[in-house]
Amino acid sequence: MQKLLQLHDFGGPGGKTLDDVRREAAQTGCSSTGGSGKASCGSGAGQGDLPPEIWDKVKNHPCYSEQAHHHFARMHVAVAPACNIQCNYCNRKYDCANESRPGVVSEKLTPEQAARKVLAVASTIPQMTVLGVAGPGDPLANPGKTFKTFELVAATAPDIKLCLSTNGLTLPDHVEQIAAMNVDHVTITINMVDPEIGTKIYPWIFYNHRRIEGVEASRILSERQLLGLEMLTARGILVKVNSVMIPGVNDKHLVEVNKAVKSRGAFLHNIMPLISAPEHGTVFGLTGQRGPSAQELKALQDACEGEMNMMRHCRQCRADAVGLLGEDRSAEFSTDKVMEMDVNYDLAARQAYQAKVEQEREVIAKAKQAELAKLVDETSDIKILVAIATKGGGRINEHFGHAHEFQIYEASSAGAKFVGHRRVDLYCEGGYASADGVEPILRALNDCTAVLVAKIGICPKDSLEGAGIEAVESYAFEFIEQSVIAYFKDYLARVGKSEIRHVARGDADIRQGAFTET
Amino acid sequence: MAYKIVASQCTVCGACEFECPNAAITMKRGMYVIEAAKCTECEGHFDKPQCVAVCPVDNTCIPA
Ligand code: SF4
Ligand code: SF4
Ligand code: SF4
């Protein structure tokens, strides 16, 4: 249970233990004496033992809070094309593989165009709370454009939180400015702390006006990254660390990276799977370096989780993504369209909307607590994965055939815990479903016991059942976590009555990365 | 002497634009080009042409 309140355990030893939370769940009504002295009945929506000033920074940030990502949106503006290092998983001709799905070149914006786009999006999508600069190159290799964009946005839309993602090479040089501009969050991509391993990932860096190769390059990069991290956390700026999991290269080593960044105050660690299709033209793609399987990724995330919060809902968004995570509305906001749009930035309306979302989150949290209370006597050690078709709002509200991705929850007697998502190709393309369309989805969900959907056709339902995956419509439009727990309880009951037999499921394919087509 | 950019290879990443000490590299009709009159091959500034050093695509910034 501790882990499903994504941020609860931030406080380390002072955080709630699983037993604490179960005890609370078992109580009726609200106890006003949580670990932090706050009423605990609403805490499922979030704060837990986070210090208020930190909670304030993360609660509406879709990337920092798993809870928030159902409700709040972010946008990236592609103002930073240049990069100062080369990664073997990147081919800049196709965008940064680190933060974007390769394959589509982003529209590059001037800071003025970007600021206008932010206003246009903010006045159309009230749940857009975060602006990030994430490339397509490195924002801090383009400091002029990055900081100019922040400056323009801060002047016109002061409620929008600013964040940036960087490879860290020039980070120490920019920490003062980052602090001065009130940038709330910084993400550093750190794939190694051992320069020898670095040589397999980074062929060169451009530093002090020179191209540097080999161990020397990785040593400098690593030193600069860790120094930058320390400088940021010393100034109270939240830092998330992204790592790309490359099997056989840094997969085991990432446990060490996790320790190194945690000890320097990183707040969240996001281990992402390598994307390496040959057609992307990256070094890893061309050398046939494979990405991890779903089980490998989860095992590594679980291994690091004892150390700190792990982020599992990352979508490796494009540098120009707009919308809820997993959704991309960037096509609605192309430069041409934005320049023509009537922009009416209504701060009060945005705040009113966000307050309503806040209320909804409280309701969801309470519903979950209530459902959890019913699990309290369960001691089974059965764990299952359940896939969810959702289009946001924390509900099971997507048709199986319309799902671009499935969110995966692990259900156990401890509750429901979000463990990741699986991107799939649209099953129901152009209104009709093709029989072979379901095959890749079965592969992507192969480790799941059930998929909860708003609706599903007979054909795919049969295919799923043939593959041993139960398709369930009875929780349509209900809250996700509450439903996962209810399904699990029902599952255990059926196992208990020998109506079904619990079987361990196989491994699944993962295909992550944001999509661009709708 | 000057450098030039091989347009068919350039990814228009813009990395070279910031590094040129002479502001010889500019965007023209969606492509980066080097103004030969301004390019000094970085003589007197750096020991290597900066556009060559920073360009992620090999053999894209070459002697004209
Ligand atoms: S930091 Fe991003 S843009 Fe730069 S080389 Fe690496 S993956 Fe590519
Ligand atoms: S060689 Fe130096 S001066 Fe010439 S274009 Fe390249 S960076 Fe500019
Ligand atoms: S650095 Fe190379 S690829 Fe990038 S814009 Fe300059 S010439 Fe083109």
Side-chain angles (χ1 to χ4, degrees), chain A residues 109-130:
Chain A
L109 303 176
T110 64
E112 289 73 21
Q113 287 169 324
R116 172 142 184 112
K117 181 168 172 176
V118 172
L119 277 186
V121 172
S123 36
T124 314
I125 309 180
Q127 63 269 51
M128 200 281 283
T129 50
V130 174

PDB file of all heavy atoms in Angstrom, chain A residues 109-130:
ATOM      1  N   LEU A 109      11.037  25.777 -32.556  1.00  0.00           N
ATOM      2  CA  LEU A 109      10.394  27.060 -32.283  1.00  0.00           C
ATOM      3  C   LEU A 109      11.396  28.091 -31.793  1.00  0.00           C
ATOM      4  O   LEU A 109      12.379  27.748 -31.133  1.00  0.00           O
ATOM      5  CB  LEU A 109       9.335  26.885 -31.193  1.00  0.00           C
ATOM      6  CG  LEU A 109       8.235  25.860 -31.440  1.00  0.00           C
ATOM      7  CD1 LEU A 109       7.345  25.765 -30.214  1.00  0.00           C
ATOM      8  CD2 LEU A 109       7.413  26.252 -32.656  1.00  0.00           C
ATOM      9  N   THR A 110      11.122  29.342 -32.069  1.00  0.00           N
ATOM     10  CA  THR A 110      11.873  30.404 -31.405  1.00  0.00           C
ATOM     11  C   THR A 110      11.256  30.580 -30.017  1.00  0.00           C
ATOM     12  O   THR A 110      10.109  30.177 -29.785  1.00  0.00           O
ATOM     13  CB  THR A 110      11.728  31.739 -32.160  1.00  0.00           C
ATOM     14  OG1 THR A 110      10.346  32.130 -32.106  1.00  0.00           O
ATOM     15  CG2 THR A 110      12.166  31.617 -33.615  1.00  0.00           C
ATOM     16  N   PRO A 111      11.987  31.200 -29.082  1.00  0.00           N
ATOM     17  CA  PRO A 111      11.405  31.415 -27.750  1.00  0.00           C
ATOM     18  C   PRO A 111      10.083  32.185 -27.825  1.00  0.00           C
ATOM     19  O   PRO A 111       9.149  31.889 -27.066  1.00  0.00           O
ATOM     20  CB  PRO A 111      12.480  32.227 -27.029  1.00  0.00           C
ATOM     21  CG  PRO A 111      13.758  31.766 -27.659  1.00  0.00           C
ATOM     22  CD  PRO A 111      13.420  31.561 -29.113  1.00  0.00           C
ATOM     23  N   GLU A 112       9.967  33.126 -28.729  1.00  0.00           N
ATOM     24  CA  GLU A 112       8.727  33.902 -28.842  1.00  0.00           C
ATOM     25  C   GLU A 112       7.576  33.012 -29.316  1.00  0.00           C
ATOM     26  O   GLU A 112       6.470  33.077 -28.776  1.00  0.00           O
ATOM     27  CB  GLU A 112       8.913  35.090 -29.800  1.00  0.00           C
ATOM     28  CG  GLU A 112       9.800  36.208 -29.262  1.00  0.00           C
ATOM     29  CD  GLU A 112      11.295  35.855 -29.219  1.00  0.00           C
ATOM     30  OE1 GLU A 112      11.708  34.924 -29.964  1.00  0.00           O
ATOM     31  OE2 GLU A 112      12.033  36.487 -28.451  1.00  0.00           O
ATOM     32  N   GLN A 113       7.855  32.181 -30.312  1.00  0.00           N
ATOM     33  CA  GLN A 113       6.819  31.249 -30.774  1.00  0.00           C
ATOM     34  C   GLN A 113       6.436  30.284 -29.659  1.00  0.00           C
ATOM     35  O   GLN A 113       5.267  29.964 -29.463  1.00  0.00           O
ATOM     36  CB  GLN A 113       7.326  30.439 -31.973  1.00  0.00           C
ATOM     37  CG  GLN A 113       7.417  31.218 -33.260  1.00  0.00           C
ATOM     38  CD  GLN A 113       8.167  30.421 -34.332  1.00  0.00           C
ATOM     39  OE1 GLN A 113       9.121  29.705 -34.039  1.00  0.00           O
ATOM     40  NE2 GLN A 113       7.730  30.547 -35.575  1.00  0.00           N
ATOM     41  N   ALA A 114       7.451  29.843 -28.936  1.00  0.00           N
ATOM     42  CA  ALA A 114       7.203  28.881 -27.859  1.00  0.00           C
ATOM     43  C   ALA A 114       6.313  29.497 -26.789  1.00  0.00           C
ATOM     44  O   ALA A 114       5.368  28.872 -26.311  1.00  0.00           O
ATOM     45  CB  ALA A 114       8.528  28.424 -27.251  1.00  0.00           C
ATOM     46  N   ALA A 115       6.609  30.739 -26.411  1.00  0.00           N
ATOM     47  CA  ALA A 115       5.831  31.397 -25.360  1.00  0.00           C
ATOM     48  C   ALA A 115       4.377  31.556 -25.810  1.00  0.00           C
ATOM     49  O   ALA A 115       3.445  31.373 -25.029  1.00  0.00           O
ATOM     50  CB  ALA A 115       6.437  32.749 -25.021  1.00  0.00           C
ATOM     51  N   ARG A 116       4.196  31.860 -27.062  1.00  0.00           N
ATOM     52  CA  ARG A 116       2.837  32.012 -27.586  1.00  0.00           C
ATOM     53  C   ARG A 116       2.113  30.659 -27.562  1.00  0.00           C
ATOM     54  O   ARG A 116       0.937  30.570 -27.216  1.00  0.00           O
ATOM     55  CB  ARG A 116       2.905  32.567 -29.004  1.00  0.00           C
ATOM     56  CG  ARG A 116       1.596  32.581 -29.670  1.00  0.00           C
ATOM     57  CD  ARG A 116       1.328  33.789 -30.547  1.00  0.00           C
ATOM     58  NE  ARG A 116      -0.038  33.652 -31.024  1.00  0.00           N
ATOM     59  CZ  ARG A 116      -1.037  34.435 -30.680  1.00  0.00           C
ATOM     60  NH1 ARG A 116      -0.806  35.457 -29.895  1.00  0.00           N
ATOM     61  NH2 ARG A 116      -2.249  34.208 -31.122  1.00  0.00           N
ATOM     62  N   LYS A 117       2.843  29.618 -27.916  1.00  0.00           N
ATOM     63  CA  LYS A 117       2.251  28.290 -27.909  1.00  0.00           C
ATOM     64  C   LYS A 117       1.839  27.879 -26.489  1.00  0.00           C
ATOM     65  O   LYS A 117       0.776  27.302 -26.280  1.00  0.00           O
ATOM     66  CB  LYS A 117       3.265  27.286 -28.473  1.00  0.00           C
ATOM     67  CG  LYS A 117       2.762  25.858 -28.533  1.00  0.00           C
ATOM     68  CD  LYS A 117       3.700  24.999 -29.355  1.00  0.00           C
ATOM     69  CE  LYS A 117       3.315  23.532 -29.252  1.00  0.00           C
ATOM     70  NZ  LYS A 117       4.146  22.689 -30.119  1.00  0.00           N
ATOM     71  N   VAL A 118       2.673  28.226 -25.506  1.00  0.00           N
ATOM     72  CA  VAL A 118       2.350  27.893 -24.120  1.00  0.00           C
ATOM     73  C   VAL A 118       1.046  28.573 -23.717  1.00  0.00           C
ATOM     74  O   VAL A 118       0.153  27.952 -23.126  1.00  0.00           O
ATOM     75  CB  VAL A 118       3.494  28.324 -23.176  1.00  0.00           C
ATOM     76  CG1 VAL A 118       3.073  28.153 -21.723  1.00  0.00           C
ATOM     77  CG2 VAL A 118       4.751  27.519 -23.464  1.00  0.00           C
ATOM     78  N   LEU A 119       0.913  29.839 -24.067  1.00  0.00           N
ATOM     79  CA  LEU A 119      -0.322  30.553 -23.722  1.00  0.00           C
ATOM     80  C   LEU A 119      -1.524  29.933 -24.423  1.00  0.00           C
ATOM     81  O   LEU A 119      -2.588  29.783 -23.827  1.00  0.00           O
ATOM     82  CB  LEU A 119      -0.208  32.021 -24.139  1.00  0.00           C
ATOM     83  CG  LEU A 119       0.511  32.938 -23.172  1.00  0.00           C
ATOM     84  CD1 LEU A 119       0.416  34.375 -23.644  1.00  0.00           C
ATOM     85  CD2 LEU A 119      -0.084  32.808 -21.774  1.00  0.00           C
ATOM     86  N   ALA A 120      -1.337  29.572 -25.683  1.00  0.00           N
ATOM     87  CA  ALA A 120      -2.447  28.994 -26.443  1.00  0.00           C
ATOM     88  C   ALA A 120      -2.880  27.670 -25.816  1.00  0.00           C
ATOM     89  O   ALA A 120      -4.071  27.411 -25.634  1.00  0.00           O
ATOM     90  CB  ALA A 120      -2.027  28.777 -27.899  1.00  0.00           C
ATOM     91  N   VAL A 121      -1.918  26.858 -25.448  1.00  0.00           N
ATOM     92  CA  VAL A 121      -2.247  25.564 -24.850  1.00  0.00           C
ATOM     93  C   VAL A 121      -2.874  25.759 -23.473  1.00  0.00           C
ATOM     94  O   VAL A 121      -3.891  25.143 -23.142  1.00  0.00           O
ATOM     95  CB  VAL A 121      -0.995  24.666 -24.754  1.00  0.00           C
ATOM     96  CG1 VAL A 121      -1.300  23.397 -23.962  1.00  0.00           C
ATOM     97  CG2 VAL A 121      -0.476  24.312 -26.140  1.00  0.00           C
ATOM     98  N   ALA A 122      -2.297  26.666 -22.687  1.00  0.00           N
ATOM     99  CA  ALA A 122      -2.799  26.874 -21.323  1.00  0.00           C
ATOM    100  C   ALA A 122      -4.232  27.385 -21.335  1.00  0.00           C
ATOM    101  O   ALA A 122      -5.016  27.072 -20.451  1.00  0.00           O
ATOM    102  CB  ALA A 122      -1.895  27.846 -20.567  1.00  0.00           C
ATOM    103  N   SER A 123      -4.582  28.161 -22.354  1.00  0.00           N
ATOM    104  CA  SER A 123      -5.959  28.658 -22.357  1.00  0.00           C
ATOM    105  C   SER A 123      -6.927  27.644 -22.968  1.00  0.00           C
ATOM    106  O   SER A 123      -8.128  27.774 -22.821  1.00  0.00           O
ATOM    107  CB  SER A 123      -6.066  30.029 -23.041  1.00  0.00           C
ATOM    108  OG  SER A 123      -5.193  30.115 -24.118  1.00  0.00           O
ATOM    109  N   THR A 124      -6.402  26.616 -23.625  1.00  0.00           N
ATOM    110  CA  THR A 124      -7.274  25.569 -24.175  1.00  0.00           C
ATOM    111  C   THR A 124      -7.374  24.372 -23.225  1.00  0.00           C
ATOM    112  O   THR A 124      -8.415  23.741 -23.110  1.00  0.00           O
ATOM    113  CB  THR A 124      -6.707  25.053 -25.527  1.00  0.00           C
ATOM    114  OG1 THR A 124      -6.331  26.179 -26.313  1.00  0.00           O
ATOM    115  CG2 THR A 124      -7.742  24.236 -26.276  1.00  0.00           C
ATOM    116  N   ILE A 125      -6.273  24.048 -22.561  1.00  0.00           N
ATOM    117  CA  ILE A 125      -6.227  22.867 -21.689  1.00  0.00           C
ATOM    118  C   ILE A 125      -5.960  23.335 -20.255  1.00  0.00           C
ATOM    119  O   ILE A 125      -4.812  23.543 -19.882  1.00  0.00           O
ATOM    120  CB  ILE A 125      -5.101  21.898 -22.126  1.00  0.00           C
ATOM    121  CG1 ILE A 125      -5.194  21.585 -23.632  1.00  0.00           C
ATOM    122  CG2 ILE A 125      -5.119  20.622 -21.310  1.00  0.00           C
ATOM    123  CD1 ILE A 125      -4.111  20.627 -24.145  1.00  0.00           C
ATOM    124  N   PRO A 126      -7.009  23.530 -19.452  1.00  0.00           N
ATOM    125  CA  PRO A 126      -6.777  24.095 -18.116  1.00  0.00           C
ATOM    126  C   PRO A 126      -5.926  23.195 -17.217  1.00  0.00           C
ATOM    127  O   PRO A 126      -5.307  23.678 -16.277  1.00  0.00           O
ATOM    128  CB  PRO A 126      -8.185  24.262 -17.548  1.00  0.00           C
ATOM    129  CG  PRO A 126      -9.079  23.429 -18.394  1.00  0.00           C
ATOM    130  CD  PRO A 126      -8.425  23.313 -19.741  1.00  0.00           C
ATOM    131  N   GLN A 127      -5.895  21.895 -17.504  1.00  0.00           N
ATOM    132  CA  GLN A 127      -5.086  21.021 -16.633  1.00  0.00           C
ATOM    133  C   GLN A 127      -3.603  21.032 -17.008  1.00  0.00           C
ATOM    134  O   GLN A 127      -2.818  20.306 -16.426  1.00  0.00           O
ATOM    135  CB  GLN A 127      -5.650  19.600 -16.589  1.00  0.00           C
ATOM    136  CG  GLN A 127      -5.677  18.815 -17.879  1.00  0.00           C
ATOM    137  CD  GLN A 127      -6.977  18.983 -18.637  1.00  0.00           C
ATOM    138  OE1 GLN A 127      -7.438  20.094 -18.879  1.00  0.00           O
ATOM    139  NE2 GLN A 127      -7.591  17.884 -19.034  1.00  0.00           N
ATOM    140  N   MET A 128      -3.215  21.878 -17.956  1.00  0.00           N
ATOM    141  CA  MET A 128      -1.797  21.982 -18.309  1.00  0.00           C
ATOM    142  C   MET A 128      -1.103  22.822 -17.235  1.00  0.00           C
ATOM    143  O   MET A 128      -1.350  24.009 -17.126  1.00  0.00           O
ATOM    144  CB  MET A 128      -1.646  22.622 -19.694  1.00  0.00           C
ATOM    145  CG  MET A 128      -0.304  22.355 -20.357  1.00  0.00           C
ATOM    146  SD  MET A 128       1.031  23.381 -19.758  1.00  0.00           S
ATOM    147  CE  MET A 128       0.650  24.912 -20.609  1.00  0.00           C
ATOM    148  N   THR A 129      -0.268  22.178 -16.425  1.00  0.00           N
ATOM    149  CA  THR A 129       0.333  22.883 -15.296  1.00  0.00           C
ATOM    150  C   THR A 129       1.843  23.010 -15.416  1.00  0.00           C
ATOM    151  O   THR A 129       2.460  23.710 -14.621  1.00  0.00           O
ATOM    152  CB  THR A 129       0.034  22.135 -13.971  1.00  0.00           C
ATOM    153  OG1 THR A 129       0.377  20.754 -14.144  1.00  0.00           O
ATOM    154  CG2 THR A 129      -1.429  22.246 -13.601  1.00  0.00           C
ATOM    155  N   VAL A 130       2.437  22.310 -16.357  1.00  0.00           N
ATOM    156  CA  VAL A 130       3.896  22.249 -16.393  1.00  0.00           C
ATOM    157  C   VAL A 130       4.419  22.482 -17.809  1.00  0.00           C
ATOM    158  O   VAL A 130       3.931  21.889 -18.764  1.00  0.00           O
ATOM    159  CB  VAL A 130       4.386  20.861 -15.921  1.00  0.00           C
ATOM    160  CG1 VAL A 130       5.897  20.734 -16.088  1.00  0.00           C
ATOM    161  CG2 VAL A 130       4.000  20.630 -14.469  1.00  0.00           C
TER     162      VAL A 130
END
